[in-house]
Amino acid sequence: MSLDDRKLEVLRAIVEDYVETQEPVGSKALVERHQLGVSPATVRNDMAVLEEEGYIRQPHTSAGRVPTDAGYRLFVDRLSKVKPLTPAERRAIERFLIGAVDLDDVVHRTVRLLAQLTRQVAVVQYPSLARSSVRHLELVPISTTRVMLVMIADTGRVEQRLVELPTPVAADDVTDLRRKVNEKLAGQRMADTPPLVQGLVDECSPDRRGTMACLASVLLETLVERSEERLALAGTANLTRGGVLDFQGTLRPVLEALEEEVILLKLIGEVEPSKTRVRIGDENEIDNLRSASVVSTGYGPGATIVGGLGVLGPTRMDYPGTIATVRAVARYVGDLLAQN
């Protein structure tokens, strides 16, 4: 059964009131608060249809109604308009992020900012090495048989490795090695580097091949083989702000899910360019998050996506405001990385 405009307006009013008040919504309150242009009896009939169609439910006898996951989904897809951020909110985001001194600072400022603005749990993935390019490779002599390899990605992410060399190497030779690896690898996507690293060994003179082979092994481990991804999390205490109906009465499954990095990466790491994902309740594949909603998007310099960020909270969420904030913060972080 397709719902007419009036019933959709009633659903919109129920969602907005329940999100704001945390109380089940009755027909009398809807008529008083919203200009629906009909009597409480008509609203009651509309609510009965909405309940029959599975968009709202009655949490207990003689109470008002609350939205179901299907009701929230219809609201997000058809009824809500993303709230534009105010100029003051935009300035606050810009000021807060612009003071960051390095990538760690950017990530930690971003996750705190998201948690504060949305009043939900915020998760930010560090720029993924798999999606990054090499900006510069530095070789720092520690001793004649040991150098520090420092890899700087185009996103500002820095990785360091100690390289044990098979024979002593002079400082001038380290400088020459540095030049060779940068000529070959600087500007390349990390996913494309394995044949280039092998080329460094193949093209090396026989007397330096052992040294270059050691260096190449650590380069591959740094650029390609290390699959671990890093995350930052903030605002877990925000989960306790809700009413008794949030999270079906218990926070434990949600808190357990937040402790698993693999789960969090699945939630926010699978992102597509310029797309915001909203998963509501049972739409979440993870059982422990069936009482939660997740709003996530990708971020990165220009059209390149290097990581994901988002927020998690109860299904009773201010979706228009949350979507706008997540998008805006992702855009500012992308701009920062582009300027980096």
Side-chain angles (χ1 to χ4, degrees):
M1 175 182 176
S2 64
L3 300 175
D4 59 39
D5 288 348
R6 194 186 66 224
K7 292 181 182 66
L8 290 172
E9 277 303 305
V10 170
L11 177 60
R12 184 211 298 274
I14 291 169
V15 171
E16 290 175 350
D17 280 11
Y18 182 56
V19 167
E20 187 179 340
T21 66
Q22 302 183 29
E23 296 291 338
V25 183
S27 57
K28 187 166 178 285
L30 285 179
V31 172
E32 288 171 358
R33 287 196 196 117
H34 302 270
Q35 280 73 53
L36 297 174
V38 292
S39 68
T42 303
V43 172
R44 277 195 294 277
N45 289 337
D46 290 342
M47 289 173 75
V49 173
L50 289 167
E51 188 167 9
E52 195 177 315
E53 293 292 306
Y55 294 114
I56 59 175
R57 65 184 177 85
Q58 190 174 21
H60 42 78
T61 316
S62 76
R65 304 298 189 272
V66 301
T68 62
D69 290 355
Y72 285 123
R73 171 49 62 193
L74 187 60
F75 174 80
V76 168
D77 289 348
R78 287 185 56 189
L79 302 175
S80 65
K81 292 182 176 65
V82 174
K83 291 178 189 168
L85 268 62
T86 65
E89 286 171 327
R90 291 185 180 283
R91 282 195 299 273
I93 293 173
E94 197 169 0
R95 273 201 306 271
F96 193 70
L97 293 179
I98 210 76
V101 295
D102 57 20
L103 182 66
D104 275 327
D105 199 14
V106 169
V107 170
H108 286 106
R109 281 173 182 253
T110 301
V111 78
R112 291 203 313 274
L113 180 67
L114 264 180
Q116 288 166 12
L117 291 176
T118 63
R119 302 177 78 196
Q120 310 291 357
V121 181
V123 186
V124 177
Q125 177 190 15
Y126 274 77
S128 168
L129 287 180
R131 299 190 186 112
S132 303
S133 297
V134 181
R135 177 186 291 168
H136 181 71
L137 289 155
E138 188 59 54
L139 294 176
V140 183
I142 306 296
S143 71
T144 56
T145 57
R146 183 181 284 183
V147 296
M148 177 71 75
L149 168 67
V150 183
M151 188 282 298
I152 304 167
D154 59 343
T155 54
R157 185 162 169 178
V158 177
E159 296 287 321
Q160 297 184 152
R161 293 288 173 281
L162 207 56
V163 186
E164 299 285 351
L165 303 174
T167 54
V169 177
D172 286 349
D173 291 338
V174 172
T175 302
D176 194 43
L177 286 170
R178 180 192 304 129
R179 179 182 57 76
K180 279 187 166 64
V181 296
N182 276 292
E183 282 175 357
K184 185 72 88 172
L185 301 173
Q188 300 293 332
R189 286 183 66 248
M190 294 196 194
D192 300 334
T193 56
L196 301 175
V197 172
Q198 185 56 50
L200 282 168
V201 179
D202 295 342
E203 294 159 18
C204 205
S205 59
D207 60 316
R208 283 206 191 155
R209 193 158 290 164
T211 298
M212 186 61 91
C214 275
L215 184 55
S217 172
V218 178
L219 275 169
L220 282 174
E221 182 193 325
T222 308
L223 300 174
V224 183
E225 292 168 11
R226 297 189 72 244
S227 59
E228 70 184 54
E229 298 288 0
R230 294 166 61 200
L231 292 165
L233 186 75
T236 307
N238 287 331
L239 294 174
T240 62
R241 291 187 306 104
V244 70
L245 293 176
D246 287 350
F247 305 110
Q248 297 165 7
T250 174
L251 270 175
R252 183 169 181 168
V254 178
L255 293 173
E256 285 175 351
L258 290 176
E259 288 180 0
E260 297 289 335
E261 278 211 351
V262 175
I263 288 177
L264 295 179
L265 276 169
K266 192 169 180 59
L267 285 179
I268 65 151
E270 298 169 355
V271 287
E272 297 170 40
S274 67
K275 187 171 180 184
T276 306
R277 289 179 66 176
V278 181
R279 276 163 293 186
I280 299 168
D282 281 336
E283 294 171 359
N284 285 302
E285 298 164 19
I286 296 138
D287 287 341
N288 282 5
L289 296 178
R290 293 277 162 85
S291 62
S293 285
V294 180
V295 178
S296 61
T297 193
Y299 73 89
T304 307
I305 297 297
V306 296
L309 57 80
V311 299
L312 177 149
T315 54
R316 184 189 58 79
M317 180 187 285
D318 170 19
Y319 291 99
T322 302
I323 291 167
T325 301
V326 166
R327 283 179 182 170
V329 170
R331 193 165 58 249
Y332 277 107
V333 175
D335 290 346
L336 261 185
L337 294 181
Q339 296 160 16
N340 187 2

